Every structure is written in C-alpha cells, then in structure tokens.
Amino acid sequence: ETMVDLKLRFLLVPFFTSVIGEAQYVMQDAALMNYIDRRFLSLEKRLEKCNQDILDYVEEFRDFSKTIMARLAGLNNFKTEVKSEVENLLTRLERAQRDIDYFGSVTDSNTCIEVDEDLVKQQLFEEAEEKRKLKLMLNASCDHMLTGIKSLKIVKKTGEMHGSWMKDPGKKHAKIYLLSGSVNNVILEFANIMTFMESNHTRKVRRVTLPLPWKGTGHIIYQGFLFYHRYGSLNEIIKYNIQKRNVSDQMLLPGAGRIPAYQLSPATKIDLAIDEQGLWAIHAEPDTGGNIVITKINHMTMAVEHTWDTSCSSKDAEAAFMACNTLYVVYNLPSGGTSRIQCVYDVLGAVNTYEIPILHFPKRQGSHSTIHYNPKEKQLFAWGDGSQIIYKLQTMQKV
C-alpha cells in the first residue's frame, strides 16, 4: 500500500465512525419520539375516558336530583294532606264530643225530676254571651237583607266558560281584575271598567303571574291581597300580595276540599267571599250530608274565627255569596236555566229564612260559574257562560 492509501484510510476511519455514531443517535431519537408519541396517545385516551366518565356521572346526578326533588314534592303534598286530615279529624272529634255532651244532657234531663234553675240560667246566659260575642265580632250594625235582583248589565264577553272578575272593595281605586279559567296563574289588571270593556286591551293591561296556580273560581281580592285555593292542594288557602308580588301567608281549611262547594260547579271546592264583615270561606262536606258550611276567617292573621253548619244543600247549587252576615245560595238546573236564590242562612239568626221568597235572576237563561258580592258597591259581580255580568240588588232592613 502506498502512503496515499494509508493517509486516506486514516482520514476515512474517523469519518465513518462519526457517521455511524450520528445514525445511532438519530435512531435513538426516533425511538424516543415514538415512545413519547405513544405515551401522549395513551394519556389522551385516558383523559377522554375520564371526561366521558365525568359526563356520565353528571347525567346520573341530574337524574338522581330530579328523582329526589320529585319525591320531596310528593312528601310535601302528603305532609300537607296528612296535616289537613288530622285537623279535620280533630274538628270531627270536637263536634262528636259536643253531640255526646248534648245527648248526655238530654238523658240527664229526662231522668232527673228536679231541674236546677241556676244551671238553666247559666246555660241561657252562656248562649246569650256567645251570641253577643258573635255580634261584636261581626258588627251587628250591618242590618240589611236581600229582597230582589233588579237588573243585569253584561259588561263584556271574554268567551271563557269559567272564571271570575272583581273589584277590590277594600281599596279606593277603580281597578278591575280578571282571572280566567278554573286552573291558571295569571291575573289581568285593568285601570278601570272602561279600559276593561275595550275590545283590544293588550297594551293597557298589567299581567301578574302567581308562583302557585289557583284551583276553581272561588278567589277574591281584598285590601290589595288575592285569596285563593291553591291548585294541587286539598284545602290550602293562599294570601298573595298583588303589589309586592309575593305570598304573604297561607292556611289550611279543616274539612274542606273533599267535595265541590256546589254540585253544578265541580271545579270549585272552596269559594271565598267578602261582605261588610270581611273574609268568609264557603264549602261543602260529606259529613254534613253535602250541606254547605261557612267559615269566618280573619283576613289579617288567616285564622279561623267561627264555623257554621248550614241547612243549605250543595245539590243543584251553582254558586253562593255572603252579604251582611247572610249566606245566599244560588240554584239552577243541571242543563242550565233561570238561576234562583232559594236558601238563605243568617249566622246571627236575624233573618227568618223560611219567610223569604225565592229570588230569581232576571232576563237570562244559562248558568253561573261565579257570583261575588261587592260590599262597597252593593252589587253582584258574576261570570255566566263566558260573560262578565253585574247584577243590581234590592234590599230592606232586617226585622
């Protein structure tokens, strides 16, 4: 070999060694990148699975929450109904106890020859005292009674078969309130009766949406509050502040809600009324043979003040109203006809109901879903066959 070959070999050996080393580094880097890539893919799959698991857990939790909320709502309704039934049972027990005491006193009076005059005087005194307290509570200065229905005025025809409309007799303003349907949660408020009578009133009406819908057509507005039977409850009465738009108070009416207040108006289980003395509730009970029961309620505290079992039947009744401590029940034919008042009950006994003639409503055939008395204007605000009607009344002083 020549000196040139030796020099060339001497130069090429380091070169090839360097090239081979570089190739090895490149292969190692490629393997490392491949490994890192596989690890990233594995991490992405795990993150994707983790994300999917989280979504599944969230969906399961939502379903679980809905189930729990539904069961809590059911428990709340059940709790209200049980509480109502317990209060109803207590009322029945009190009445049964009074009956037992009465029969016991009758039996004792039959077996005893001598009558304790002091005991009789005491009983008469207690009865007179009870009547005096009732008169004080109900303001005995209210002394008029209904003798006739003079005329009617059809103010508007909205077309809805069931509903109620009214003014607030406890306020000075002239606002008209329309509550359409037997189940709803929207009150329409009009500035006055002229605005209400306009055919296109969509721009001139204030809508008030209730958080809890009403049941039936027996609601009433008094001193800025709407009192109504809550839909979905047996006998819960809500007191709603119309101006502040919130529920102010609520109460349960023992014994009410099991049957309609009036046979011909099956949607209304509790009918609330206003007269010169304030707030009343009208309902019927199976335990009284379907007869109507009236309850005086303190509108401020939502407490029951007194209850009366009347002799007025709910059979073939379509509506009723309170005026000056007196219940007037309106009857009709199931197919509709001339409405008539043929049962009257005065809670103070100042009216002899058997001497009052049947009072017929004038000039129209049909039926009513609501009749409410306005003690401020001494008129009836009625809803009949889709029309909003005002009836003027004829009265006289109680004997």
Side-chain angles (χ1 to χ4, degrees):
E1 295 181 1
T2 64
M3 184 64 68
V4 175
D5 292 334
L6 288 173
K7 287 182 180 181
L8 184 61
R9 185 179 298 175
F10 178 76
L11 292 171
L12 288 173
V13 168
F15 172 75
F16 282 119
T17 302
S18 174
V19 169
I20 292 169
E22 291 284 344
Q24 287 178 344
Y25 283 128
V26 169
M27 290 177 68
Q28 288 176 357
D29 290 342
L32 180 61
M33 291 300 294
N34 188 34
Y35 171 77
I36 292 171
D37 190 47
R38 288 200 309 272
R39 295 299 294 174
F40 273 119
L41 286 173
S42 176
L43 285 172
E44 286 177 357
K45 288 179 180 179
R46 290 182 182 179
L47 287 172
E48 186 177 350
K49 184 178 183 303
C50 182
N51 188 42
Q52 187 60 44
D53 288 343
I54 290 171
L55 291 175
D56 292 341
Y57 291 148
V58 168
E59 190 63 30
E60 288 179 10
F61 184 74
R62 284 177 180 169
D63 294 339
F64 179 72
S65 297
K66 289 179 181 177
T67 304
I68 292 298
M69 292 301 292
R71 290 185 180 179
L72 286 174
L75 285 173
N76 189 40
N77 291 335
F78 180 71
K79 176 184 173 183
T80 303
E81 291 179 6
V82 168
K83 185 178 179 182
S84 174
E85 289 299 327
V86 170
E87 291 184 355
N88 182 34
L89 179 60
L90 290 174
T91 303
R92 299 289 166 246
L93 286 173
E94 289 176 2
R95 291 182 182 176
Q97 186 61 48
R98 289 200 299 267
D99 291 341
I100 290 169
D101 293 341
Y102 170 74
F103 287 125
S105 65
V106 170
T107 305
D108 292 341
S109 65
N110 289 335
T111 56
C112 294
I113 297 173
E114 295 183 1
V115 178
D116 189 338
E117 292 184 3
D118 292 336
L119 185 63
V120 173
K121 288 180 180 178
Q122 178 65 23
Q123 188 173 355
L124 290 173
F125 174 78
E126 288 176 358
E127 289 177 359
E129 187 66 15
E130 177 70 15
K131 197 167 186 178
R132 186 187 69 82
K133 288 179 180 178
L134 284 174
K135 283 186 176 181
L136 286 174
M137 181 185 77
L138 296 174
N139 183 8
S141 62
C142 183
D143 60 355
H144 67 269
M145 58 179 285
L146 185 63
T147 59
I149 304 165
K150 291 194 294 187
S151 62
L152 85 162
K153 177 182 180 181
I154 298 177
V155 177
K156 191 178 180 68
K157 187 174 180 66
T158 60
E160 179 75 40
M161 287 302 295
H162 303 288
S164 63
W165 72 295
M166 65 202 75
K167 288 183 178 181
D168 185 345
K171 292 286 186 179
K172 293 183 179 180
H173 60 65
K175 292 177 182 178
I176 297 289
Y177 298 93
L178 181 77
L179 295 89
S180 185
S182 57
V183 177
N184 202 343
N185 69 332
V186 177
I187 309 171
L188 299 183
E189 180 188 283
F190 301 85
N192 50 53
I193 199 162
M194 296 304 295
T195 307
F196 174 67
M197 292 171 66
E198 292 177 8
S199 57
N200 184 13
H201 56 248
T202 53
R203 293 183 180 179
K204 299 181 180 180
V205 63
R206 174 179 177 245
R207 296 170 62 91
V208 179
T209 302
L210 305 175
L212 303 167
W214 67 70
K215 170 68 175 173
T217 59
H219 12 270
I220 202 75
I221 292 175
Y222 185 57
Q223 293 189 356
F225 295 93
L226 169 69
F227 299 86
Y228 68 95
H229 179 198
R230 179 174 71 82
Y231 174 75
S233 73
L234 181 66
N235 50 27
E236 184 179 359
I237 299 173
I238 300 292
K239 179 181 180 181
Y240 182 81
N241 190 317
I242 297 175
Q243 190 64 37
K244 295 182 179 178
R245 301 197 180 200
N246 60 20
V247 174
S248 174
D249 205 348
Q250 57 215 60
M251 66 170 287
L252 297 177
L253 185 64
R258 289 179 291 169
I259 61 174
Y262 319 112
Q263 186 189 47
L264 302 185
S265 299
T268 301
K269 302 292 180 66
I270 299 174
D271 190 15
L272 297 166
I274 292 291
D275 74 349
E276 291 79 359
Q277 315 309 327
L279 180 63
W280 301 79
I282 306 168
H283 72 277
E285 295 184 19
D287 298 342
T288 62
N291 283 359
I292 290 174
V293 178
I294 52 179
T295 303
K296 182 69 182 69
I297 299 172
N298 186 316
H299 71 277
M300 300 290 289
T301 63
M302 295 295 282
V304 171
E305 294 183 336
H306 206 280
T307 298
W308 293 264
D309 293 339
T310 77
S311 56
C312 298
S313 174
S314 63
K315 187 176 185 298
D316 293 332
E318 65 177 7
F321 58 91
M322 294 294 300
C324 195
N325 305 319
T326 304
L327 173 73
Y328 297 89
V329 185
V330 182
Y331 295 87
N332 207 329
L333 299 173
S335 57
T338 302
S339 298
R340 63 200 182 276
I341 297 171
Q342 64 181 53
C343 190
V344 178
Y345 183 87
D346 185 345
V347 301
L348 296 177
V351 175
N352 189 343
T353 58
Y354 299 103
E355 294 179 358
I356 297 175
I358 295 175
L359 304 178
H360 292 273
F361 282 70
K363 294 183 182 179
R364 70 180 295 274
Q365 297 286 314
S367 60
H368 297 93
S369 71
T370 309
I371 299 175
H372 282 145
Y373 173 68
N374 185 306
K376 184 179 178 182
E377 300 185 358
K378 312 295 184 189
Q379 297 182 135
L380 298 179
F381 283 66
W383 190 297
D385 301 316
S387 296
Q388 290 70 56
I389 307 164
I390 290 178
Y391 291 102
K392 292 185 178 180
L393 304 177
Q394 187 172 2
T395 61
M396 65 174 285
Q397 190 169 351
K398 292 179 181 179
V399 179

